[in-house]
Amino acid sequence: MITCSAPGKIYLFGEHAVVYGESAICCAVDLRTRVQVEIDDTINIESVLGKTGIDSEIHPYVSAVIERMGEFTSIKGVSIKIDSDIPVGSGIGSSAAVTVATIAALNTLFNCKITLEEIAKLGHEIEMQIQGAASPTDTYVSTMGGVVIIPQKKKLEHIDCKIVIGNTNMLSSTKELVANVAKLRDSYPQIIDPVLSVISSISKIGEELVTNRDYASIGYLMNINHGLLDSVGVSSIELSSLVYAARNSGAFGAKITGAGGGGCIVAFVDRMQVDGVAYAINAAGGSSIITNATEHGIMVESN
Ligand code: MEV
């Protein structure tokens, strides 16, 4: 029996802009999806969503991984059990984490010798196949861990302030939100392209701030980035309520993380303020998760 895990992620800056080749900074967080695999007579996939065989409705990512792994090995029967700390469909990278952790676990079980770079690439192809649109960011950061600037894929300094996630508990579709931004861009390229380009500038300036561990300035730029995401239509009253609750209770800064529409916000917070920020997010109707950045991407936890 093999267990591999992979982390979720938050965006400091740059979601949506990254879809158009602009810069983003993304950070793996200490919320993990664990995938346990062992040889079996048939294919069985088990998670909180249910027990299935290959099933593109209930377990689309894991099913697609099993099918694609056929390029490397013959899988006649395998039992796969998934357990996750990452809220599903909330912009924290649950689909990327389950995809790359499953590839890694099957890679180890069947000794396919797929490299980490290849796992990230295969994970991205699977996200593309299922979502229709996805940048390689989520699968890359979940595979490698750490704080990464895209498109260079360069690792930055570890982030050591607290990270508080606020979940609106409202599901959103990345595919739909990416399509909405694309539509807006088609209608008003003179307005939307500069907005995406300013978001990119925030990420580029943010690189040095991460290196200097200047969390107050990072927070300030996160607030600006939130305003720009709002301007392209991906915020909501629930997301903004959580953003303002976090800011008003002492966070360095707060913004949407991921596709928006529903899902989560992220706040950077000094250790001393963390309980107050988490309390304020809960009082504003969200569910807070206190976490940290992690340098650990895919891990083989036991074999
Ligand atoms: C979703 O987590 C982030 C987006 O930029 C889409 C993507 O990069 O694939 C909205």
Side-chain angles (χ1 to χ4, degrees):
M1 185 186 303
I2 307 280
T3 304
C4 284
S5 71
K9 60 96 208 7
I10 57 96
Y11 275 89
L12 276 72
F13 314 113
E15 52 274 89
H16 287 288
V18 75
V19 173
Y20 301 94
E22 302 284 10
S23 295
I25 300 183
C26 204
C27 166
V29 292
D30 212 4
L31 300 169
R32 302 187 74 82
T33 296
R34 286 162 291 276
V35 177
Q36 189 190 84
V37 293
E38 63 185 320
I39 304 282
D40 206 341
D41 296 335
T42 54
I43 291 174
N44 300 294
I45 309 170
E46 189 176 339
S47 74
V48 286
L49 303 173
K51 258 186 179 182
T52 70
I54 295 273
D55 187 320
S56 59
E57 294 293 316
I58 296 176
H59 292 123
Y61 295 94
V62 175
S63 298
V65 170
I66 296 168
E67 282 167 358
R68 287 294 304 270
M69 290 298 284
E71 292 167 23
F72 303 91
T73 184
S74 155
I75 301 180
K76 294 199 178 61
V78 66
S79 153
I80 300 182
K81 287 193 180 127
I82 301 143
D83 151 56
S84 186
D85 311 327
I86 308 171
V88 173
S90 304
I92 308 297
S94 60
S95 59
V98 77
T99 303
V100 301
T102 306
I103 301 171
L106 294 175
N107 185 35
T108 311
L109 185 67
F110 292 103
N111 195 23
C112 301
K113 301 196 164 53
I114 310 174
T115 65
L116 284 180
E117 288 284 346
E118 287 164 346
I119 291 177
K121 185 162 174 286
L122 186 56
H124 176 227
E125 286 167 12
I126 288 168
E127 282 216 314
M128 285 290 284
Q129 179 188 325
I130 291 164
Q131 291 170 199
S135 74
T137 318
D138 290 21
T139 40
Y140 187 83
V141 172
S142 189
T143 301
M144 304 296 178
V147 185
V148 180
I149 185 158
I150 304 290
Q152 298 90 328
K153 296 185 178 165
K154 178 177 143 198
K155 274 220 182 183
L156 306 181
E157 205 71 35
H158 180 69
I159 285 171
D160 55 9
C161 73
K162 297 300 282 186
I163 295 174
V164 183
I165 291 167
N167 192 350
T168 62
N169 297 306
M170 302 179 96
L171 296 182
S172 69
S173 154
T174 300
K175 185 176 175 178
E176 232 170 72
L177 286 145
V178 168
N180 291 349
V181 174
K183 218 182 283 169
L184 199 60
R185 184 169 172 261
D186 283 347
S187 304
Y188 304 105
Q190 306 91 323
I191 298 171
I192 303 304
D193 280 339
V195 172
L196 300 174
S197 157
V198 173
I199 292 177
S200 196
S201 300
I202 291 177
S203 302
K204 287 173 189 155
I205 295 169
E207 178 178 355
E208 194 179 334
L209 301 178
V210 171
T211 305
N212 296 338
R213 302 190 173 190
D214 182 352
Y215 302 122
S217 302
I218 290 173
Y220 196 70
L221 294 189
M222 287 170 84
N223 294 345
I224 298 174
N225 195 159
H226 179 75
L228 293 166
L229 286 169
D230 199 351
S231 79
V232 298
V234 302
S235 193
S236 66
I237 191 159
E238 291 83 6
L239 285 163
S240 284
S241 297
L242 302 191
V243 161
Y244 283 101
R247 286 184 200 164
N248 293 340
S249 54
F252 291 123
K255 62 180 271 293
I256 291 166
T257 182
C264 293
I265 64 121
V266 61
F268 271 28
V269 185
D270 183 84
R271 254 157 234 287
M272 303 297 287
Q273 309 286 344
V274 77
D275 291 335
V277 170
Y279 179 85
I281 287 172
N282 295 339
S287 310
S288 62
I289 305 173
I290 299 172
T291 187
N292 297 299
T294 179
E295 293 302 308
H296 298 298
I298 287 172
M299 288 168 72
V300 180
E301 302 217 339
S302 62
N303 62 27

